Amino acid sequence: WTRYIYIICLAQASSRSGCLSSLSGGSGGSDGSEKSAGAVGVADAGGQAGGDAPNDEEEGIGVAADAPLSHKPTSVRRAVRHLLSSRVFVSTVFANCALFFVVTGIQFWVTPYLTDYLGAKKLTVVFIFAITSITAPIIGLAVGGTVNDRLGGYQGKRGVARTLKVDACFGCLAAIAAISAAAVPSGKAKVLGYESFPLGFDANCWAVVALLWITLFFGGCIVPSTSGVLMETAPPDARPVASALGMFSYQLFGYALSPQVSSLVMQIVGSSSEEEAEQGVLSPTQLRVGFYTVMSWGSIGFVFLTIASCFAARNLRREIAAAREDPVVSIEASQRASLVSEQASL
């Protein structure tokens, strides 16, 4: 359920960004087409004069609003090369990969971890985790999207920098909750003077479930805005490629990599007895180390979100410095930002 909810959110965010780019592309009429054609001619002339030398603006964000690649269909190879040259795009993609790595690992190992390591009943675990995996991401998606919209959204370089800073805070809280969930010890423990809680869960089991809920909640807060940032950093013609490249990366470095890495770590740790190894039963030590590996992977996502936030802030500072040198550029950028915000409200 958690995986499907995240995928649906990604698809909705990508389609919404595509609709906004279509509106901004068609709102200018014939005058906008003539201006765009002139801009393309100037860009081509500059490219012929300067050869294939890299442009500093291509590394920035908000290129979709400032310097589209072309009004002609962009080749996949050129679009991929352009996207991979954007440090903000690459860092945000890897942050989402780490998020889906943790989500998939939780789906794989939460049931054996709670039943075999913490001693909970299987039927109770399935019921409780089903509720957790449905409610936490949905509430997180709503809260994260609302918070970023109230702060101004992710349009423009300023919006992207602000959004990634907020997402880094969400990622930090999610990583702390995930590592704390894996650090809960086994055995009986008293919480508020009680060893057993409703549904036959021990205090340790309820602590793990509560921390997992917090992890999935803050993970859900990250997904809408990072999906929008990925579309914002891509030029309009390259947004379908950006969406496909992101989904490919999530499948390869998130969903597929999580069970492989955690299983490999468990095999390296080895079983505590020969009987368990022959029967293929995971020992408590293997479950603890494997689950801790999955949950600690969230800290990698926080690191990549921090890196993306730093690059976005650097690009914003460059834009402000350029605006001070050329006030006309600042006025045109503000007009474009106001136009995009009006179209988004429509």
Side-chain angles (χ1 to χ4, degrees):
W1 276 104
T2 308
R3 179 178 178 181
Y4 292 149
I5 290 170
Y6 282 134
I7 291 177
I8 291 172
C9 175
L10 285 171
Q12 290 178 346
S14 301
S15 62
R16 180 175 179 270
S17 299
C19 292
L20 291 179
S21 64
S22 299
L23 287 172
S24 61
S27 60
S30 58
D31 295 336
S33 300
E34 293 174 0
K35 293 180 181 178
S36 300
V40 172
V42 173
D44 292 339
Q48 293 175 0
D52 295 331
N55 190 354
D56 291 339
E57 294 180 357
E58 291 183 355
E59 296 181 358
I61 57 178
V63 180
D66 297 335
L69 290 178
S70 174
H71 286 281
K72 297 180 181 180
T74 306
S75 65
V76 175
R77 182 178 178 181
R78 184 184 178 189
V80 171
R81 183 175 60 182
H82 184 87
L83 293 171
L84 294 180
S85 67
S86 174
R87 296 182 178 90
V88 176
F89 179 86
V90 174
S91 301
T92 307
V93 167
F94 278 114
N96 282 341
C97 289
L99 169 64
F100 296 127
F101 183 101
V102 175
V103 171
T104 306
I106 291 175
Q107 293 174 351
F108 264 84
W109 302 115
V110 66
T111 300
Y113 182 79
L114 291 177
T115 56
D116 298 339
Y117 182 69
L118 295 180
K121 297 180 181 180
K122 186 174 182 179
L123 183 61
T124 305
V125 170
V126 173
F127 175 73
I128 294 298
F129 183 70
I131 297 176
T132 301
S133 61
I134 293 174
T135 58
I138 292 177
I139 298 175
L141 293 173
V143 172
T146 302
V147 169
N148 283 288
D149 286 342
R150 292 291 179 86
L151 293 177
Y154 49 76
Q155 283 80 18
K157 293 183 180 180
R158 187 179 299 275
V160 170
R162 179 179 55 246
T163 299
L164 288 175
K165 187 180 296 184
V166 175
D167 288 341
C169 296
F170 287 150
C172 179
L173 295 174
I176 292 174
I179 295 175
S180 301
V184 174
S186 61
K188 297 288 185 178
K190 287 187 177 182
V191 176
L192 301 178
Y194 296 94
E195 291 185 355
S196 180
F197 280 77
L199 300 177
F201 261 31
D202 294 333
N204 292 349
C205 295
W206 277 114
V208 172
V209 170
L211 291 170
L212 288 178
W213 195 97
I214 296 173
T215 302
L216 296 176
F217 169 79
F218 285 112
C221 291
I222 295 171
V223 172
S225 52
T226 53
S227 303
V229 166
L230 292 179
M231 296 298 102
E232 181 69 17
T233 57
D237 292 342
R239 285 176 180 174
V241 179
S243 179
L245 184 61
M247 293 302 298
F248 174 78
S249 301
Y250 305 153
Q251 296 291 335
L252 183 61
F253 300 109
Y255 300 123
L257 188 63
S258 179
Q260 300 297 328
V261 171
S262 54
S263 299
L264 179 61
V265 171
M266 291 180 182
Q267 290 180 359
I268 293 174
V269 172
S271 301
S272 58
S273 64
E274 295 182 357
E275 294 181 358
E276 291 178 348
E278 292 177 355
Q279 296 177 0
V281 179
L282 295 174
S283 65
T285 303
Q286 286 178 305
L287 288 172
R288 179 175 60 83
V289 175
F291 193 72
Y292 188 83
T293 301
V294 169
M295 303 304 285
S296 61
W297 207 271
S299 59
I300 299 178
F302 165 66
V303 170
F304 276 112
L305 282 174
T306 304
I307 293 173
S309 177
C310 293
F311 282 130
R314 186 197 65 175
N315 294 331
L316 178 60
R317 289 193 297 269
R318 287 183 177 180
E319 184 183 54
I320 294 174
R324 290 175 180 174
E325 296 178 359
D326 190 358
V328 178
V329 176
S330 178
I331 295 174
E332 293 179 352
S334 62
Q335 291 176 350
R336 285 194 296 268
S338 62
L339 177 61
V340 172
S341 62
E342 291 177 359
Q343 292 171 350
S345 62
L346 293 177

